Amino acid sequence: MPVQRAKKQPSPSGRSLEHPDRADIRLEGVLHALSDPMRLQIVRDLAAGEGELNCSVFDLPVSKSTTTHHFRVLRENGVVRQIYRGTAKMNALRREDLEALFPGLLDSVLTAASLQASRPGGES
Amino acid sequence: MPVQRAKKQPSPSGRSLEHPDRADIRLEGVLHALSDPMRLQIVRDLAAGEGELNCSVFDLPVSKSTTTHHFRVLRENGVVRQIYRGTAKMNALRREDLEALFPGLLDSVLTAASLQASRPGGES
DNA sequence: CTCGTACTACGAGGGTTATCGTACGACCAG
DNA sequence: CTGGTCGTACGATAACCCTCGTAGTACGAG
């Protein structure tokens, strides 16, 4: 899908991030976003920490560019919301929107991920 | 993920299909399998029809090769079980396995798909 | 045996994704 | 203003995925 790469606004005052409206969030997109181990891990960490989390708290085994890329995928598919706070970028799950659109989905995915992680060979 | 393409057994008596053991089913794989609109539709139809369904009941807007491909993805990720019955191949959801591994997941995905389909622009 | 049906295997195309390195822009502290 | 930290943009590469057409195998009916 032509993900319509926002035209890099000059953003006069502060940087702005593109987020889809609640009504534009698609189930396939959410599932695809969660189907990558890296991104699933991010979402799990995000769900564990109550509030917002800084990008760099995550100790991912990939480069910074790649991390940015994954956060972008999560954002463009409506899974997380990102906002700038000074030099840091805070990330938060869009729990309410997801719950309204797909009730129970996020919880069952998180539960499933936990179960799988505690399975023999689950972390592989 | 290196999907480990079964070595094309000569299958002496009857054709055999490779299915992952319950313990080998991975959440990421299931989510990936469901993140394609075509496959999600297949799973929805499968869930609607109580029992097994023949491959050709599905009226998909793609060629037969492509259909085979999608069923293969679903099978290799542990979402469906396929067996030959004469010249036809019957398909069934692996409800029990999925429920045991990821309780509630399949149901919430199916519910979410229904909700989205009845949304304005849901079928697009 | 021969034919038709059902589905698979293979190979190829075109598009998307994951990953990286390097260079740049935004912000805070001196 | 200078420097350091944080994150982005861009370009490149390799891998992957969806799609297809063609050719082939397995099975049942005649």
Side-chain angles (χ1 to χ4, degrees), chain B residues 15 53-56 82-91:
Chain B
R15 287 166 282 183
L53 286 181
N54 181 322
C55 264
S56 47
Q82 301 185 288
I83 35 180
Y84 284 106
R85 286 191 55 174
T87 165
K89 189 165 66 173
M90 307 308 282
N91 301 275

mmCIF file with all atom_site columns, all heavy atoms in Angstrom, chain B residues 15 53-56 82-91, chain C residues 5-7, chain D residues 27-28:
data_model
loop_
_atom_site.group_PDB
_atom_site.id
_atom_site.type_symbol
_atom_site.label_atom_id
_atom_site.label_alt_id
_atom_site.label_comp_id
_atom_site.label_asym_id
_atom_site.label_entity_id
_atom_site.label_seq_id
_atom_site.pdbx_PDB_ins_code
_atom_site.Cartn_x
_atom_site.Cartn_y
_atom_site.Cartn_z
_atom_site.occupancy
_atom_site.B_iso_or_equiv
_atom_site.pdbx_formal_charge
_atom_site.auth_seq_id
_atom_site.auth_comp_id
_atom_site.auth_asym_id
_atom_site.auth_atom_id
_atom_site.pdbx_PDB_model_num
ATOM 1   N N     . ARG B 1 15 ? -1.192  -38.373 -0.551  1.00 0.00 ? 15 ARG B N     1
ATOM 2   C CA    . ARG B 1 15 ? -0.412  -37.151 -0.388  1.00 0.00 ? 15 ARG B CA    1
ATOM 3   C C     . ARG B 1 15 ? -0.394  -36.740 1.071   1.00 0.00 ? 15 ARG B C     1
ATOM 4   O O     . ARG B 1 15 ? -1.402  -36.833 1.757   1.00 0.00 ? 15 ARG B O     1
ATOM 5   C CB    . ARG B 1 15 ? -1.018  -36.041 -1.242  1.00 0.00 ? 15 ARG B CB    1
ATOM 6   C CG    . ARG B 1 15 ? -0.755  -36.243 -2.705  1.00 0.00 ? 15 ARG B CG    1
ATOM 7   C CD    . ARG B 1 15 ? -1.627  -35.367 -3.527  1.00 0.00 ? 15 ARG B CD    1
ATOM 8   N NE    . ARG B 1 15 ? -2.993  -35.890 -3.625  1.00 0.00 ? 15 ARG B NE    1
ATOM 9   C CZ    . ARG B 1 15 ? -3.934  -35.322 -4.340  1.00 0.00 ? 15 ARG B CZ    1
ATOM 10  N NH1   . ARG B 1 15 ? -3.683  -34.228 -5.000  1.00 0.00 ? 15 ARG B NH1   1
ATOM 11  N NH2   . ARG B 1 15 ? -5.133  -35.849 -4.391  1.00 0.00 ? 15 ARG B NH2   1
ATOM 12  N N     . LEU B 1 53 ? -14.182 -27.137 4.922   1.00 0.00 ? 53 LEU B N     1
ATOM 13  C CA    . LEU B 1 53 ? -14.604 -26.553 3.667   1.00 0.00 ? 53 LEU B CA    1
ATOM 14  C C     . LEU B 1 53 ? -13.617 -26.916 2.567   1.00 0.00 ? 53 LEU B C     1
ATOM 15  O O     . LEU B 1 53 ? -12.409 -26.942 2.781   1.00 0.00 ? 53 LEU B O     1
ATOM 16  C CB    . LEU B 1 53 ? -14.697 -25.030 3.793   1.00 0.00 ? 53 LEU B CB    1
ATOM 17  C CG    . LEU B 1 53 ? -15.888 -24.515 4.592   1.00 0.00 ? 53 LEU B CG    1
ATOM 18  C CD1   . LEU B 1 53 ? -15.876 -23.004 4.624   1.00 0.00 ? 53 LEU B CD1   1
ATOM 19  C CD2   . LEU B 1 53 ? -17.185 -25.017 3.983   1.00 0.00 ? 53 LEU B CD2   1
ATOM 20  N N     . ASN B 1 54 ? -14.167 -27.184 1.438   1.00 0.00 ? 54 ASN B N     1
ATOM 21  C CA    . ASN B 1 54 ? -13.389 -27.475 0.249   1.00 0.00 ? 54 ASN B CA    1
ATOM 22  C C     . ASN B 1 54 ? -12.699 -26.198 -0.221  1.00 0.00 ? 54 ASN B C     1
ATOM 23  O O     . ASN B 1 54 ? -13.234 -25.112 -0.086  1.00 0.00 ? 54 ASN B O     1
ATOM 24  C CB    . ASN B 1 54 ? -14.362 -27.975 -0.815  1.00 0.00 ? 54 ASN B CB    1
ATOM 25  C CG    . ASN B 1 54 ? -13.681 -28.327 -2.095  1.00 0.00 ? 54 ASN B CG    1
ATOM 26  O OD1   . ASN B 1 54 ? -12.749 -27.658 -2.514  1.00 0.00 ? 54 ASN B OD1   1
ATOM 27  N ND2   . ASN B 1 54 ? -14.143 -29.363 -2.713  1.00 0.00 ? 54 ASN B ND2   1
ATOM 28  N N     . CYS B 1 55 ? -11.526 -26.361 -0.796  1.00 0.00 ? 55 CYS B N     1
ATOM 29  C CA    . CYS B 1 55 ? -10.784 -25.198 -1.261  1.00 0.00 ? 55 CYS B CA    1
ATOM 30  C C     . CYS B 1 55 ? -11.584 -24.354 -2.240  1.00 0.00 ? 55 CYS B C     1
ATOM 31  O O     . CYS B 1 55 ? -11.542 -23.136 -2.232  1.00 0.00 ? 55 CYS B O     1
ATOM 32  C CB    . CYS B 1 55 ? -9.489  -25.627 -1.956  1.00 0.00 ? 55 CYS B CB    1
ATOM 33  S SG    . CYS B 1 55 ? -8.042  -25.598 -0.886  1.00 0.00 ? 55 CYS B SG    1
ATOM 34  N N     . SER B 1 56 ? -12.319 -25.016 -3.095  1.00 0.00 ? 56 SER B N     1
ATOM 35  C CA    . SER B 1 56 ? -12.914 -24.290 -4.207  1.00 0.00 ? 56 SER B CA    1
ATOM 36  C C     . SER B 1 56 ? -14.244 -23.650 -3.860  1.00 0.00 ? 56 SER B C     1
ATOM 37  O O     . SER B 1 56 ? -14.902 -23.068 -4.708  1.00 0.00 ? 56 SER B O     1
ATOM 38  C CB    . SER B 1 56 ? -13.084 -25.228 -5.399  1.00 0.00 ? 56 SER B CB    1
ATOM 39  O OG    . SER B 1 56 ? -13.653 -26.439 -4.980  1.00 0.00 ? 56 SER B OG    1
ATOM 40  N N     . GLN B 1 82 ? -5.260  -29.129 6.807   1.00 0.00 ? 82 GLN B N     1
ATOM 41  C CA    . GLN B 1 82 ? -5.747  -29.539 5.494   1.00 0.00 ? 82 GLN B CA    1
ATOM 42  C C     . GLN B 1 82 ? -5.566  -31.038 5.336   1.00 0.00 ? 82 GLN B C     1
ATOM 43  O O     . GLN B 1 82 ? -4.530  -31.594 5.682   1.00 0.00 ? 82 GLN B O     1
ATOM 44  C CB    . GLN B 1 82 ? -4.960  -28.834 4.384   1.00 0.00 ? 82 GLN B CB    1
ATOM 45  C CG    . GLN B 1 82 ? -5.045  -27.329 4.436   1.00 0.00 ? 82 GLN B CG    1
ATOM 46  C CD    . GLN B 1 82 ? -4.348  -26.694 3.243   1.00 0.00 ? 82 GLN B CD    1
ATOM 47  O OE1   . GLN B 1 82 ? -3.138  -26.678 3.140   1.00 0.00 ? 82 GLN B OE1   1
ATOM 48  N NE2   . GLN B 1 82 ? -5.146  -26.182 2.328   1.00 0.00 ? 82 GLN B NE2   1
ATOM 49  N N     . ILE B 1 83 ? -6.588  -31.662 4.775   1.00 0.00 ? 83 ILE B N     1
ATOM 50  C CA    . ILE B 1 83 ? -6.482  -33.084 4.504   1.00 0.00 ? 83 ILE B CA    1
ATOM 51  C C     . ILE B 1 83 ? -7.131  -33.396 3.178   1.00 0.00 ? 83 ILE B C     1
ATOM 52  O O     . ILE B 1 83 ? -8.103  -32.752 2.768   1.00 0.00 ? 83 ILE B O     1
ATOM 53  C CB    . ILE B 1 83 ? -7.170  -33.927 5.598   1.00 0.00 ? 83 ILE B CB    1
ATOM 54  C CG1   . ILE B 1 83 ? -8.407  -33.181 6.088   1.00 0.00 ? 83 ILE B CG1   1
ATOM 55  C CG2   . ILE B 1 83 ? -6.214  -34.218 6.734   1.00 0.00 ? 83 ILE B CG2   1
ATOM 56  C CD1   . ILE B 1 83 ? -9.145  -33.917 7.162   1.00 0.00 ? 83 ILE B CD1   1
ATOM 57  N N     . TYR B 1 84 ? -6.606  -34.383 2.535   1.00 0.00 ? 84 TYR B N     1
ATOM 58  C CA    . TYR B 1 84 ? -7.167  -34.795 1.253   1.00 0.00 ? 84 TYR B CA    1
ATOM 59  C C     . TYR B 1 84 ? -8.322  -35.747 1.473   1.00 0.00 ? 84 TYR B C     1
ATOM 60  O O     . TYR B 1 84 ? -8.246  -36.666 2.287   1.00 0.00 ? 84 TYR B O     1
ATOM 61  C CB    . TYR B 1 84 ? -6.094  -35.483 0.413   1.00 0.00 ? 84 TYR B CB    1
ATOM 62  C CG    . TYR B 1 84 ? -5.115  -34.511 -0.181  1.00 0.00 ? 84 TYR B CG    1
ATOM 63  C CD1   . TYR B 1 84 ? -3.834  -34.397 0.317   1.00 0.00 ? 84 TYR B CD1   1
ATOM 64  C CD2   . TYR B 1 84 ? -5.500  -33.706 -1.242  1.00 0.00 ? 84 TYR B CD2   1
ATOM 65  C CE1   . TYR B 1 84 ? -2.936  -33.500 -0.227  1.00 0.00 ? 84 TYR B CE1   1
ATOM 66  C CE2   . TYR B 1 84 ? -4.607  -32.810 -1.794  1.00 0.00 ? 84 TYR B CE2   1
ATOM 67  C CZ    . TYR B 1 84 ? -3.335  -32.706 -1.275  1.00 0.00 ? 84 TYR B CZ    1
ATOM 68  O OH    . TYR B 1 84 ? -2.449  -31.816 -1.821  1.00 0.00 ? 84 TYR B OH    1
ATOM 69  N N     . ARG B 1 85 ? -9.362  -35.490 0.740   1.00 0.00 ? 85 ARG B N     1
ATOM 70  C CA    . ARG B 1 85 ? -10.475 -36.438 0.699   1.00 0.00 ? 85 ARG B CA    1
ATOM 71  C C     . ARG B 1 85 ? -10.740 -36.704 -0.756  1.00 0.00 ? 85 ARG B C     1
ATOM 72  O O     . ARG B 1 85 ? -11.488 -35.980 -1.401  1.00 0.00 ? 85 ARG B O     1
ATOM 73  C CB    . ARG B 1 85 ? -11.715 -35.868 1.379   1.00 0.00 ? 85 ARG B CB    1
ATOM 74  C CG    . ARG B 1 85 ? -11.591 -35.859 2.904   1.00 0.00 ? 85 ARG B CG    1
ATOM 75  C CD    . ARG B 1 85 ? -12.922 -35.549 3.550   1.00 0.00 ? 85 ARG B CD    1
ATOM 76  N NE    . ARG B 1 85 ? -13.973 -36.470 3.087   1.00 0.00 ? 85 ARG B NE    1
ATOM 77  C CZ    . ARG B 1 85 ? -15.204 -36.490 3.581   1.00 0.00 ? 85 ARG B CZ    1
ATOM 78  N NH1   . ARG B 1 85 ? -15.534 -35.661 4.528   1.00 0.00 ? 85 ARG B NH1   1
ATOM 79  N NH2   . ARG B 1 85 ? -16.086 -37.343 3.113   1.00 0.00 ? 85 ARG B NH2   1
ATOM 80  N N     . GLY B 1 86 ? -10.102 -37.731 -1.249  1.00 0.00 ? 86 GLY B N     1
ATOM 81  C CA    . GLY B 1 86 ? -10.213 -37.987 -2.677  1.00 0.00 ? 86 GLY B CA    1
ATOM 82  C C     . GLY B 1 86 ? -9.544  -36.877 -3.450  1.00 0.00 ? 86 GLY B C     1
ATOM 83  O O     . GLY B 1 86 ? -8.431  -36.478 -3.126  1.00 0.00 ? 86 GLY B O     1
ATOM 84  N N     . THR B 1 87 ? -10.229 -36.327 -4.412  1.00 0.00 ? 87 THR B N     1
ATOM 85  C CA    . THR B 1 87 ? -9.647  -35.283 -5.232  1.00 0.00 ? 87 THR B CA    1
ATOM 86  C C     . THR B 1 87 ? -9.756  -33.907 -4.603  1.00 0.00 ? 87 THR B C     1
ATOM 87  O O     . THR B 1 87 ? -9.108  -32.976 -5.044  1.00 0.00 ? 87 THR B O     1
ATOM 88  C CB    . THR B 1 87 ? -10.320 -35.268 -6.616  1.00 0.00 ? 87 THR B CB    1
ATOM 89  O OG1   . THR B 1 87 ? -9.988  -34.051 -7.242  1.00 0.00 ? 87 THR B OG1   1
ATOM 90  C CG2   . THR B 1 87 ? -11.812 -35.339 -6.479  1.00 0.00 ? 87 THR B CG2   1
ATOM 91  N N     . ALA B 1 88 ? -10.553 -33.809 -3.561  1.00 0.00 ? 88 ALA B N     1
ATOM 92  C CA    . ALA B 1 88 ? -10.725 -32.508 -2.921  1.00 0.00 ? 88 ALA B CA    1
ATOM 93  C C     . ALA B 1 88 ? -9.832  -32.393 -1.698  1.00 0.00 ? 88 ALA B C     1
ATOM 94  O O     . ALA B 1 88 ? -9.385  -33.385 -1.121  1.00 0.00 ? 88 ALA B O     1
ATOM 95  C CB    . ALA B 1 88 ? -12.183 -32.303 -2.517  1.00 0.00 ? 88 ALA B CB    1
ATOM 96  N N     . LYS B 1 89 ? -9.582  -31.162 -1.310  1.00 0.00 ? 89 LYS B N     1
ATOM 97  C CA    . LYS B 1 89 ? -8.801  -30.934 -0.091  1.00 0.00 ? 89 LYS B CA    1
ATOM 98  C C     . LYS B 1 89 ? -9.656  -30.163 0.881   1.00 0.00 ? 89 LYS B C     1
ATOM 99  O O     . LYS B 1 89 ? -10.112 -29.066 0.570   1.00 0.00 ? 89 LYS B O     1
ATOM 100 C CB    . LYS B 1 89 ? -7.536  -30.156 -0.426  1.00 0.00 ? 89 LYS B CB    1
ATOM 101 C CG    . LYS B 1 89 ? -6.591  -30.075 0.755   1.00 0.00 ? 89 LYS B CG    1
ATOM 102 C CD    . LYS B 1 89 ? -5.217  -29.629 0.362   1.00 0.00 ? 89 LYS B CD    1
ATOM 103 C CE    . LYS B 1 89 ? -5.254  -28.199 -0.132  1.00 0.00 ? 89 LYS B CE    1
ATOM 104 N NZ    . LYS B 1 89 ? -3.893  -27.693 -0.356  1.00 0.00 ? 89 LYS B NZ    1
ATOM 105 N N     . MET B 1 90 ? -9.867  -30.732 2.032   1.00 0.00 ? 90 MET B N     1
ATOM 106 C CA    . MET B 1 90 ? -10.713 -30.088 3.015   1.00 0.00 ? 90 MET B CA    1
ATOM 107 C C     . MET B 1 90 ? -9.877  -29.244 3.963   1.00 0.00 ? 90 MET B C     1
ATOM 108 O O     . MET B 1 90 ? -8.768  -29.611 4.332   1.00 0.00 ? 90 MET B O     1
ATOM 109 C CB    . MET B 1 90 ? -11.477 -31.156 3.813   1.00 0.00 ? 90 MET B CB    1
ATOM 110 C CG    . MET B 1 90 ? -12.235 -32.118 2.926   1.00 0.00 ? 90 MET B CG    1
ATOM 111 S SD    . MET B 1 90 ? -13.293 -31.273 1.736   1.00 0.00 ? 90 MET B SD    1
ATOM 112 C CE    . MET B 1 90 ? -14.671 -30.818 2.812   1.00 0.00 ? 90 MET B CE    1
ATOM 113 N N     . ASN B 1 91 ? -10.464 -28.117 4.366   1.00 0.00 ? 91 ASN B N     1
ATOM 114 C CA    . ASN B 1 91 ? -9.761  -27.198 5.245   1.00 0.00 ? 91 ASN B CA    1
ATOM 115 C C     . ASN B 1 91 ? -10.555 -26.990 6.527   1.00 0.00 ? 91 ASN B C     1
ATOM 116 O O     . ASN B 1 91 ? -11.781 -26.884 6.487   1.00 0.00 ? 91 ASN B O     1
ATOM 117 C CB    . ASN B 1 91 ? -9.600  -25.847 4.561   1.00 0.00 ? 91 ASN B CB    1
ATOM 118 C CG    . ASN B 1 91 ? -8.827  -25.975 3.274   1.00 0.00 ? 91 ASN B CG    1
ATOM 119 O OD1   . ASN B 1 91 ? -7.606  -25.951 3.288   1.00 0.00 ? 91 ASN B OD1   1
ATOM 120 N ND2   . ASN B 1 91 ? -9.534  -26.134 2.169   1.00 0.00 ? 91 ASN B ND2   1
ATOM 121 P P     . DT  C 2 5  ? -13.942 -30.914 -16.399 1.00 0.00 ? 5  DT  C P     1
ATOM 122 O OP1   . DT  C 2 5  ? -15.316 -30.387 -16.419 1.00 0.00 ? 5  DT  C OP1   1
ATOM 123 O OP2   . DT  C 2 5  ? -12.843 -30.211 -17.089 1.00 0.00 ? 5  DT  C OP2   1
ATOM 124 O "O5'" . DT  C 2 5  ? -13.509 -31.117 -14.878 1.00 0.00 ? 5  DT  C "O5'" 1
ATOM 125 C "C5'" . DT  C 2 5  ? -14.181 -32.081 -14.088 1.00 0.00 ? 5  DT  C "C5'" 1
ATOM 126 C "C4'" . DT  C 2 5  ? -13.507 -32.212 -12.738 1.00 0.00 ? 5  DT  C "C4'" 1
ATOM 127 O "O4'" . DT  C 2 5  ? -12.265 -32.936 -12.882 1.00 0.00 ? 5  DT  C "O4'" 1
ATOM 128 C "C3'" . DT  C 2 5  ? -13.154 -30.882 -12.083 1.00 0.00 ? 5  DT  C "C3'" 1
ATOM 129 O "O3'" . DT  C 2 5  ? -13.511 -30.931 -10.716 1.00 0.00 ? 5  DT  C "O3'" 1
ATOM 130 C "C2'" . DT  C 2 5  ? -11.646 -30.784 -12.264 1.00 0.00 ? 5  DT  C "C2'" 1
ATOM 131 C "C1'" . DT  C 2 5  ? -11.250 -32.251 -12.195 1.00 0.00 ? 5  DT  C "C1'" 1
ATOM 132 N N1    . DT  C 2 5  ? -9.976  -32.582 -12.871 1.00 0.00 ? 5  DT  C N1    1
ATOM 133 C C2    . DT  C 2 5  ? -9.051  -33.354 -12.216 1.00 0.00 ? 5  DT  C C2    1
ATOM 134 O O2    . DT  C 2 5  ? -9.230  -33.777 -11.099 1.00 0.00 ? 5  DT  C O2    1
ATOM 135 N N3    . DT  C 2 5  ? -7.916  -33.618 -12.921 1.00 0.00 ? 5  DT  C N3    1
ATOM 136 C C4    . DT  C 2 5  ? -7.612  -33.195 -14.197 1.00 0.00 ? 5  DT  C C4    1
ATOM 137 O O4    . DT  C 2 5  ? -6.553  -33.495 -14.738 1.00 0.00 ? 5  DT  C O4    1
ATOM 138 C C5    . DT  C 2 5  ? -8.616  -32.395 -14.834 1.00 0.00 ? 5  DT  C C5    1
ATOM 139 C C7    . DT  C 2 5  ? -8.405  -31.888 -16.222 1.00 0.00 ? 5  DT  C C7    1
ATOM 140 C C6    . DT  C 2 5  ? -9.745  -32.126 -14.150 1.00 0.00 ? 5  DT  C C6    1
ATOM 141 P P     . DA  C 2 6  ? -13.516 -29.592 -9.844  1.00 0.00 ? 6  DA  C P     1
ATOM 142 O OP1   . DA  C 2 6  ? -14.705 -29.632 -8.968  1.00 0.00 ? 6  DA  C OP1   1
ATOM 143 O OP2   . DA  C 2 6  ? -13.266 -28.446 -10.748 1.00 0.00 ? 6  DA  C OP2   1
ATOM 144 O "O5'" . DA  C 2 6  ? -12.220 -29.794 -8.941  1.00 0.00 ? 6  DA  C "O5'" 1
ATOM 145 C "C5'" . DA  C 2 6  ? -12.109 -30.961 -8.144  1.00 0.00 ? 6  DA  C "C5'" 1
ATOM 146 C "C4'" . DA  C 2 6  ? -10.773 -30.952 -7.438  1.00 0.00 ? 6  DA  C "C4'" 1
ATOM 147 O "O4'" . DA  C 2 6  ? -9.754  -31.391 -8.370  1.00 0.00 ? 6  DA  C "O4'" 1
ATOM 148 C "C3'" . DA  C 2 6  ? -10.338 -29.572 -6.951  1.00 0.00 ? 6  DA  C "C3'" 1
ATOM 149 O "O3'" . DA  C 2 6  ? -9.941  -29.657 -5.598  1.00 0.00 ? 6  DA  C "O3'" 1
ATOM 150 C "C2'" . DA  C 2 6  ? -9.162  -29.208 -7.850  1.00 0.00 ? 6  DA  C "C2'" 1
ATOM 151 C "C1'" . DA  C 2 6  ? -8.625  -30.578 -8.248  1.00 0.00 ? 6  DA  C "C1'" 1
ATOM 152 N N9    . DA  C 2 6  ? -7.954  -30.571 -9.545  1.00 0.00 ? 6  DA  C N9    1
ATOM 153 C C8    . DA  C 2 6  ? -8.347  -29.962 -10.694 1.00 0.00 ? 6  DA  C C8    1
ATOM 154 N N7    . DA  C 2 6  ? -7.529  -30.137 -11.710 1.00 0.00 ? 6  DA  C N7    1
ATOM 155 C C5    . DA  C 2 6  ? -6.520  -30.912 -11.174 1.00 0.00 ? 6  DA  C C5    1
ATOM 156 C C6    . DA  C 2 6  ? -5.348  -31.446 -11.731 1.00 0.00 ? 6  DA  C C6    1
ATOM 157 N N6    . DA  C 2 6  ? -4.982  -31.271 -12.994 1.00 0.00 ? 6  DA  C N6    1
ATOM 158 N N1    . DA  C 2 6  ? -4.557  -32.189 -10.923 1.00 0.00 ? 6  DA  C N1    1
ATOM 159 C C2    . DA  C 2 6  ? -4.917  -32.378 -9.651  1.00 0.00 ? 6  DA  C C2    1
ATOM 160 N N3    . DA  C 2 6  ? -6.000  -31.921 -9.016  1.00 0.00 ? 6  DA  C N3    1
ATOM 161 C C4    . DA  C 2 6  ? -6.768  -31.188 -9.850  1.00 0.00 ? 6  DA  C C4    1
ATOM 162 P P     . DC  C 2 7  ? -9.771  -28.291 -4.792  1.00 0.00 ? 7  DC  C P     1
ATOM 163 O OP1   . DC  C 2 7  ? -10.251 -28.557 -3.416  1.00 0.00 ? 7  DC  C OP1   1
ATOM 164 O OP2   . DC  C 2 7  ? -10.307 -27.148 -5.552  1.00 0.00 ? 7  DC  C OP2   1
ATOM 165 O "O5'" . DC  C 2 7  ? -8.194  -28.176 -4.756  1.00 0.00 ? 7  DC  C "O5'" 1
ATOM 166 C "C5'" . DC  C 2 7  ? -7.444  -29.268 -4.230  1.00 0.00 ? 7  DC  C "C5'" 1
ATOM 167 C "C4'" . DC  C 2 7  ? -6.051  -29.270 -4.807  1.00 0.00 ? 7  DC  C "C4'" 1
ATOM 168 O "O4'" . DC  C 2 7  ? -6.085  -29.297 -6.241  1.00 0.00 ? 7  DC  C "O4'" 1
ATOM 169 C "C3'" . DC  C 2 7  ? -5.190  -28.054 -4.459  1.00 0.00 ? 7  DC  C "C3'" 1
ATOM 170 O "O3'" . DC  C 2 7  ? -4.309  -28.385 -3.404  1.00 0.00 ? 7  DC  C "O3'" 1
ATOM 171 C "C2'" . DC  C 2 7  ? -4.433  -27.755 -5.766  1.00 0.00 ? 7  DC  C "C2'" 1
ATOM 172 C "C1'" . DC  C 2 7  ? -4.791  -28.946 -6.653  1.00 0.00 ? 7  DC  C "C1'" 1
ATOM 173 N N1    . DC  C 2 7  ? -4.780  -28.624 -8.097  1.00 0.00 ? 7  DC  C N1    1
ATOM 174 C C2    . DC  C 2 7  ? -3.767  -29.163 -8.890  1.00 0.00 ? 7  DC  C C2    1
ATOM 175 O O2    . DC  C 2 7  ? -2.921  -29.890 -8.359  1.00 0.00 ? 7  DC  C O2    1
ATOM 176 N N3    . DC  C 2 7  ? -3.741  -28.885 -10.211 1.00 0.00 ? 7  DC  C N3    1
ATOM 177 C C4    . DC  C 2 7  ? -4.672  -28.098 -10.741 1.00 0.00 ? 7  DC  C C4    1
ATOM 178 N N4    . DC  C 2 7  ? -4.613  -27.853 -12.046 1.00 0.00 ? 7  DC  C N4    1
ATOM 179 C C5    . DC  C 2 7  ? -5.728  -27.537 -9.959  1.00 0.00 ? 7  DC  C C5    1
ATOM 180 C C6    . DC  C 2 7  ? -5.737  -27.821 -8.648  1.00 0.00 ? 7  DC  C C6    1
ATOM 181 P P     . DC  D 3 27 ? -3.718  -40.573 -4.847  1.00 0.00 ? 27 DC  D P     1
ATOM 182 O OP1   . DC  D 3 27 ? -3.746  -40.607 -3.374  1.00 0.00 ? 27 DC  D OP1   1
ATOM 183 O OP2   . DC  D 3 27 ? -3.031  -41.620 -5.620  1.00 0.00 ? 27 DC  D OP2   1
ATOM 184 O "O5'" . DC  D 3 27 ? -5.218  -40.472 -5.360  1.00 0.00 ? 27 DC  D "O5'" 1
ATOM 185 C "C5'" . DC  D 3 27 ? -6.017  -39.406 -4.885  1.00 0.00 ? 27 DC  D "C5'" 1
ATOM 186 C "C4'" . DC  D 3 27 ? -7.228  -39.240 -5.779  1.00 0.00 ? 27 DC  D "C4'" 1
ATOM 187 O "O4'" . DC  D 3 27 ? -6.813  -38.808 -7.083  1.00 0.00 ? 27 DC  D "O4'" 1
ATOM 188 C "C3'" . DC  D 3 27 ? -8.023  -40.526 -6.001  1.00 0.00 ? 27 DC  D "C3'" 1
ATOM 189 O "O3'" . DC  D 3 27 ? -9.272  -40.400 -5.358  1.00 0.00 ? 27 DC  D "O3'" 1
ATOM 190 C "C2'" . DC  D 3 27 ? -8.157  -40.637 -7.520  1.00 0.00 ? 27 DC  D "C2'" 1
ATOM 191 C "C1'" . DC  D 3 27 ? -7.788  -39.251 -7.999  1.00 0.00 ? 27 DC  D "C1'" 1
ATOM 192 N N1    . DC  D 3 27 ? -7.181  -39.193 -9.361  1.00 0.00 ? 27 DC  D N1    1
ATOM 193 C C2    . DC  D 3 27 ? -7.856  -38.487 -10.363 1.00 0.00 ? 27 DC  D C2    1
ATOM 194 O O2    . DC  D 3 27 ? -8.921  -37.950 -10.108 1.00 0.00 ? 27 DC  D O2    1
ATOM 195 N N3    . DC  D 3 27 ? -7.297  -38.427 -11.603 1.00 0.00 ? 27 DC  D N3    1
ATOM 196 C C4    . DC  D 3 27 ? -6.125  -39.026 -11.849 1.00 0.00 ? 27 DC  D C4    1
ATOM 197 N N4    . DC  D 3 27 ? -5.610  -38.925 -13.077 1.00 0.00 ? 27 DC  D N4    1
ATOM 198 C C5    . DC  D 3 27 ? -5.430  -39.736 -10.831 1.00 0.00 ? 27 DC  D C5    1
ATOM 199 C C6    . DC  D 3 27 ? -5.992  -39.798 -9.609  1.00 0.00 ? 27 DC  D C6    1
ATOM 200 P P     . DG  D 3 28 ? -10.204 -41.675 -5.130  1.00 0.00 ? 28 DG  D P     1
ATOM 201 O OP1   . DG  D 3 28 ? -10.814 -41.576 -3.797  1.00 0.00 ? 28 DG  D OP1   1
ATOM 202 O OP2   . DG  D 3 28 ? -9.432  -42.876 -5.527  1.00 0.00 ? 28 DG  D OP2   1
ATOM 203 O "O5'" . DG  D 3 28 ? -11.352 -41.449 -6.214  1.00 0.00 ? 28 DG  D "O5'" 1
ATOM 204 C "C5'" . DG  D 3 28 ? -12.097 -40.246 -6.161  1.00 0.00 ? 28 DG  D "C5'" 1
ATOM 205 C "C4'" . DG  D 3 28 ? -12.921 -40.089 -7.428  1.00 0.00 ? 28 DG  D "C4'" 1
ATOM 206 O "O4'" . DG  D 3 28 ? -12.029 -39.899 -8.548  1.00 0.00 ? 28 DG  D "O4'" 1
ATOM 207 C "C3'" . DG  D 3 28 ? -13.800 -41.296 -7.770  1.00 0.00 ? 28 DG  D "C3'" 1
ATOM 208 O "O3'" . DG  D 3 28 ? -15.118 -40.845 -8.061  1.00 0.00 ? 28 DG  D "O3'" 1
ATOM 209 C "C2'" . DG  D 3 28 ? -13.121 -41.917 -8.982  1.00 0.00 ? 28 DG  D "C2'" 1
ATOM 210 C "C1'" . DG  D 3 28 ? -12.426 -40.719 -9.616  1.00 0.00 ? 28 DG  D "C1'" 1
ATOM 211 N N9    . DG  D 3 28 ? -11.229 -41.048 -10.372 1.00 0.00 ? 28 DG  D N9    1
ATOM 212 C C8    . DG  D 3 28 ? -10.161 -41.801 -9.941  1.00 0.00 ? 28 DG  D C8    1
ATOM 213 N N7    . DG  D 3 28 ? -9.208  -41.914 -10.833 1.00 0.00 ? 28 DG  D N7    1
ATOM 214 C C5    . DG  D 3 28 ? -9.676  -41.193 -11.921 1.00 0.00 ? 28 DG  D C5    1
ATOM 215 C C6    . DG  D 3 28 ? -9.078  -40.957 -13.180 1.00 0.00 ? 28 DG  D C6    1
ATOM 216 O O6    . DG  D 3 28 ? -7.997  -41.344 -13.599 1.00 0.00 ? 28 DG  D O6    1
ATOM 217 N N1    . DG  D 3 28 ? -9.896  -40.160 -13.992 1.00 0.00 ? 28 DG  D N1    1
ATOM 218 C C2    . DG  D 3 28 ? -11.120 -39.671 -13.625 1.00 0.00 ? 28 DG  D C2    1
ATOM 219 N N2    . DG  D 3 28 ? -11.762 -38.936 -14.521 1.00 0.00 ? 28 DG  D N2    1
ATOM 220 N N3    . DG  D 3 28 ? -11.690 -39.889 -12.459 1.00 0.00 ? 28 DG  D N3    1
ATOM 221 C C4    . DG  D 3 28 ? -10.916 -40.653 -11.650 1.00 0.00 ? 28 DG  D C4    1
#
